Amino acid sequence: KAQQIDVTSNTTTATYYLTFATGTSGTQTLYARSNINYNPNTDILNVTAASALYADIAERYAADAVYEPGTVLMLGGEKEVTLARGHATTAVAGIVSTKPAYMLNSEAGNNDTHPFIALKGRVPCKVVGPVRKGERLVSSGTNPGYATARQLGDDPHAVIGNALEDFAGPLGVI
């Protein structure tokens, strides 16, 4: 029979191994995996491999306002990030994530004070069209918080990401 251990109050140096059951009732088979374990003293969960339901790596940053998902932000303002302004700014920080797969700095504030900013991966993005699939995106000079297609001569350090679909415009989310 499996026994539950409260590892949050345990102060001993130990490694706990996760046990899996084949069902929630009736006769069950238990499986213990030595490659998945948790040490409460270090607060580290060790796994051999992981996967994520969602598709981006994001980090919390202090924001000077509440921003909705898909908004393009830049470094600056009263806090760490603010609404991206200016065409192809190299101060671009990223896009406010909807549901990050991997959350860095996750304990800093909440979604209103410290939104998750996508650093890598797939996220919805507010855009000024037209935008063609495959084009690189930079901050918009006409609509703060939006991205637009990169133009010849724009600084490559200003690129936020690539469009994964066509958008005719004028304003929307891709």
Side-chain angles (χ1 to χ4, degrees):
K1 181 176 181 181
Q3 178 182 0
Q4 183 175 340
I5 299 171
D6 181 7
V7 296
T8 59
S9 63
N10 193 322
T11 58
T12 63
T13 301
T15 299
Y16 296 91
Y17 298 93
L18 278 72
T19 305
F20 300 93
T22 58
T24 58
S25 63
T27 303
Q28 299 175 355
T29 303
L30 298 179
Y31 299 94
R33 302 298 304 216
S34 62
N35 61 342
I36 303 174
N37 58 71
Y38 174 72
N39 185 320
N41 286 331
T42 61
D43 204 23
I44 293 175
L45 175 68
N46 292 300
V47 297
T48 301
S51 65
L53 179 59
Y54 302 108
D56 66 287
I57 299 170
E59 184 174 4
R60 284 199 188 275
Y61 286 87
D64 58 4
V66 177
Y67 297 109
E68 60 187 35
T71 304
V72 179
L73 300 181
M74 63 184 274
L75 301 173
E78 295 176 20
K79 305 284 184 172
E80 294 174 322
V81 293
T82 190
L83 205 59
R85 299 181 188 280
H87 179 76
T89 179
T90 57
V92 69
I95 302 166
V96 178
S97 179
T98 51
K99 294 180 181 176
Y102 298 100
M103 298 171 277
L104 307 175
N105 205 19
S106 64
E107 299 299 313
N110 59 44
N111 289 343
D112 290 341
T113 65
H114 292 72
F116 279 108
I117 309 301
L119 305 175
K120 190 75 173 174
R122 294 171 178 243
V123 291
C125 181
K126 294 180 178 183
V127 292
V128 177
V131 173
R132 289 188 326 253
K133 182 178 180 178
E135 285 187 308
R136 291 189 172 110
L137 301 174
V138 296
S139 58
S140 167
T142 58
N143 295 80
Y146 282 72
T148 191
R150 180 177 182 252
Q151 303 298 312
L152 188 62
D154 288 348
D155 191 324
H157 295 102
V159 172
I160 302 163
N162 292 31
L164 294 177
E165 61 186 82
D166 292 329
F167 179 75
L171 297 176
V173 177
I174 61 170

